[in-house]
């Protein structure tokens, strides 16, 4: 309960500060820089060496692919049937195909399933969601905006991402027996800053615009992201014999709120920014209810 309370407090605090205080210019950029370049790599370096080999670890990774490519197929088909613009289709593919598997996924899985759930959440995010965003996400944004993506830039973005480098280093350290105690303590303290700072940053960026004229796309998008995608992932995992916390983590990561970075990518490419940000804001609010409720129906370990 204390972990869940921390999540709600940090989100609410960020939203209140944005509305009532005058936070310094550039605070969101500064917080995100720390989270992405310091806290997230430290957390990955701490957790990955402790992840035990498991033949079912493919599932949390594949679940993120199912959520994205399923969104692409669904919204491309719906868009043709309903006469949506290319910008609207591209926006929904991005914001409803990618979940917030780090800024919200990490603290939610930690709150619900402790360090074991957090370690599996890292696997899903770093091997599934992030490489997919940097490759297929950039490709989709370029296609629907009429721009070409440079392959070498995509590869460079993945290989030089701090948390991805930390992932590779963590695997090596795990094979060598893990970190010495004092260094593990330092990594734990640095990684511990991720949850409060990331969620405070999300609260600072929270927007929920008028939705009346966007209600149809909004319902379709969040219906896929929060309900249909995780249900499909659960069916896939159950059919493949995946069980326990691995199944739960894959399904819950697929059920996370839309990714902030995906909404930013849609905005940068002019893909219906108003809709993208409305889906993002509504998805964050609703996921605070849908993810814990969904967790009640999934195995605890």
């Amino acid at each position: 309960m204390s972990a869940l309370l921390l999540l709600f407090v940090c989100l609410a605090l960020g939203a209140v500060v944005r509305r009532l205080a005058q936070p310094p210019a550039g605070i969101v950029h500064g917080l995100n820089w720390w989270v992405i370049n310091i806290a997230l790599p430290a957390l990955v370096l701490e957790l990955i060496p402790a992840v035990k080999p498991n033949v079912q670890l493919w599932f949390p990774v594949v679940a993120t692919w199912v959520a994205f490519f399923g969104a692409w197929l669904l919204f491309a088909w719906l868009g043709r049937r309903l006469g949506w613009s290319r910008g609207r289709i591209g926006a929904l593919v991005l914001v409803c195909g990618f979940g917030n598997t780090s800024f919200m996924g990490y603290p939610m899985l930690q709150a619900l399933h402790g360090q074991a759930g957090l370690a599996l959440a890292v696997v899903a995010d770093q091997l599934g969601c992030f490489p997919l965003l940097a490759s297929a996400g950039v490709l989709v944004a370029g296609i629907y905006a009429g721009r070409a993506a440079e392959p070498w830039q995509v590869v460079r973005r993945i290989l030089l991402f701090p948390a991805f480098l930390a992932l590779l280093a963590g695997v090596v350290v795990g094979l060598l027996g893990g970190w010495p105690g004092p260094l593990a303590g330092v990594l734990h303290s640095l990684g511990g800053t991720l949850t409060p700072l990331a969620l405070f940053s999300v609260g600072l960026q929270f927007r929920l615009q008028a939705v009346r004229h966007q209600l149809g796309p909004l319902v379709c998008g969040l219906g896929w992201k929060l309900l249909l995608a995780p249900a499909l992932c659960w069916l896939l995992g159950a059919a493949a014999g995946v069980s326990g916390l691995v199944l739960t983590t894959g399904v819950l990561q697929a059920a996370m709120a839309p990714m902030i970075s995906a909404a930013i990518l849609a905005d940068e490419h002019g893909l219906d920014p108003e809709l993208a940000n409305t889906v993002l804001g509504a998805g964050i609010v609703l996921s605070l209810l849908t993810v814990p409720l969904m967790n009640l129906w999934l195995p605890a370990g």
Side-chain angles (χ1 to χ4, degrees):
M1 285 300 298
S2 61
L4 282 174
L5 183 61
L6 176 65
L7 186 153
F8 284 107
V9 167
C10 291
L11 275 172
L13 187 60
V16 169
V17 167
R18 182 185 67 83
R19 288 185 62 88
L20 301 181
Q22 293 182 337
I27 185 174
V28 170
H29 176 76
L31 290 172
N32 290 348
W33 186 93
W34 173 270
V35 167
I36 291 171
N37 293 285
I38 304 296
L40 181 54
L43 186 65
V44 173
L45 284 170
E46 178 198 0
L47 294 176
I48 288 300
V51 174
K52 297 179 180 179
N54 187 327
V55 294
Q56 297 183 345
L57 282 180
W58 62 269
F59 175 70
V61 176
V62 171
T64 64
W65 302 349
V66 170
F68 173 74
F69 288 108
W72 195 352
L73 290 172
L74 174 63
F75 297 124
W77 176 76
L78 274 179
R80 288 194 299 269
R81 293 287 298 265
L82 299 177
W84 289 347
S85 67
R86 291 177 62 82
R88 173 163 288 184
I89 295 171
L92 287 175
V93 172
L94 289 174
V95 294
C96 299
F98 292 108
N100 204 327
T101 52
S102 55
F103 278 25
M104 294 195 70
Y106 289 3
M108 289 284 274
L109 265 297
Q110 184 178 30
L112 295 171
H113 294 286
Q115 289 296 102
L118 177 58
L120 291 173
V122 169
V123 172
D125 178 58
Q126 291 301 306
L127 292 181
C129 204
F130 166 69
L132 196 61
L133 174 69
S135 54
V138 172
L139 177 64
V140 164
I143 289 174
Y144 285 96
R147 307 179 194 173
E150 295 290 342
W152 68 269
Q153 291 180 340
V154 172
V155 174
R156 182 176 181 274
R157 182 177 179 181
I158 294 173
L159 294 181
L160 296 183
F161 187 63
F164 184 76
L165 295 175
L167 174 69
L168 299 179
V171 171
V172 173
V173 170
L175 294 175
L176 296 176
W179 298 104
L183 184 54
V186 171
L187 292 174
H188 178 75
S189 296
L190 290 173
T193 64
L194 184 142
T195 293
L197 293 184
L199 291 174
F200 182 69
S201 175
V202 170
L204 286 172
Q205 299 171 79
F206 181 78
R207 299 288 190 279
L208 189 57
Q209 301 170 352
V211 299
R212 181 173 300 176
H213 66 287
Q214 300 167 333
L215 189 59
L218 178 67
V219 170
C220 291
L222 292 182
W224 166 259
K225 186 70 198 74
L226 302 180
L227 298 174
L228 295 179
L232 186 59
C233 290
W234 178 82
L235 289 173
L236 172 64
V242 180
S243 60
L245 191 54
V246 176
L247 175 66
T248 298
T249 301
V251 172
L252 293 184
Q253 283 288 59
M256 286 298 157
M259 182 191 283
I260 294 174
S261 298
I264 293 172
L265 187 61
D267 189 35
E268 289 176 344
H269 287 76
L271 301 176
D272 205 337
E274 184 183 38
L275 175 62
N277 285 286
T278 299
V279 173
L280 176 66
I284 289 174
V285 172
L286 291 175
S287 70
L288 295 175
L289 177 65
T290 58
V291 171
L293 286 177
M294 194 172 296
N295 181 69
L296 297 175
W297 296 91
L298 294 166

